[in-house]
Amino acid sequence: MPVNMQRDARSQRKRLIHLDRELTGEDLADRALVHALVQADWYRASMRRTRQRFLILEGGALLLAGAATVLAALSAPAWLTASVAALVTFLAGLRRIVNWHDDWLAFSEAWAKATGVITKYRLLPAAERTPDKQQELVSTVDALVLTETRSWGRRRRELTQAAA
């Protein structure tokens, strides 16, 4: 199994263990709530991951752009200055391809919406968590996932068309 897949699997297990600890016995009996929490947790994890990638990409680009200027001012070897400038150009191209900033914002918005729906549901007394309310929760969260997936696809198509 490739290293990234192993890391992702370990990370997923840790998130599920954390989620399981947050759930009470009553919550676990409510499959609609568990479904909604798993979806919200996926958006939270994706939000954090894309935020980190965005910050690393932007910070790296800024650091390398500054370093290229300093290297040129210090009359560093041309190969070194050119290599750093090439890395800056690569990061600028990568930014256009992956667009982690938009993904981060979209995941943040979806997570906030899912969390709001879940909180509203959890505030209901247990007696009011009827099958209709459970179905409403699942439908709302699934509609959110579908809307976000369509939005993600649209953003990707727009990036592809802009690059062409």
Side-chain angles (χ1 to χ4, degrees):
M1 180 181 280
V3 175
N4 286 343
M5 289 179 67
Q6 289 176 340
R7 188 178 318 127
D8 288 344
R10 280 193 304 266
S11 176
Q12 183 68 23
R13 274 195 298 276
K14 286 180 184 177
R15 286 195 309 271
L16 289 173
I17 289 168
H18 176 72
L19 183 62
D20 186 49
R21 287 183 186 145
E22 290 180 354
L23 295 171
T24 65
E26 185 178 304
D27 289 339
L28 287 172
D30 190 341
R31 294 184 53 82
L33 180 58
V34 171
H35 170 75
L37 288 169
V38 167
Q39 295 298 327
D41 187 64
W42 186 88
Y43 281 112
R44 184 180 55 79
S46 297
M47 174 185 69
R48 288 181 177 173
R49 185 176 52 251
T50 55
R51 178 179 178 269
Q52 289 171 345
R53 289 175 179 170
F54 168 72
L55 292 174
I56 289 169
L57 178 68
E58 293 298 314
L62 288 171
L63 179 68
L64 289 172
T69 304
V70 170
L71 288 171
L74 293 176
S75 300
W79 68 267
L80 182 59
T81 304
S83 297
V84 172
L87 283 172
V88 171
T89 304
F90 171 77
L91 291 178
L94 185 62
R95 183 186 308 134
R96 289 188 54 123
I97 294 170
V98 294
N99 207 4
W100 284 319
H101 185 259
D102 286 348
D103 289 347
W104 168 33
L105 295 176
F107 290 145
S108 299
E109 184 178 329
W111 174 77
K113 287 178 184 176
T115 302
V117 169
I118 291 167
T119 301
K120 184 178 174 182
Y121 177 82
R122 286 182 113 173
L123 288 173
L124 292 173
E128 291 183 29
R129 293 182 187 181
T130 64
D132 288 341
K133 292 290 185 181
Q134 292 174 344
Q135 182 61 40
E136 182 182 329
L137 174 65
V138 170
S139 296
T140 303
V141 169
D142 287 349
L144 171 72
V145 170
L146 183 59
T147 300
E148 169 52 32
T149 303
R150 286 179 177 155
S151 174
W152 181 85
R154 188 182 67 254
R155 288 191 312 271
R156 291 292 170 249
R157 284 188 296 277
E158 288 170 358
L159 277 174
T160 304
Q161 291 170 356

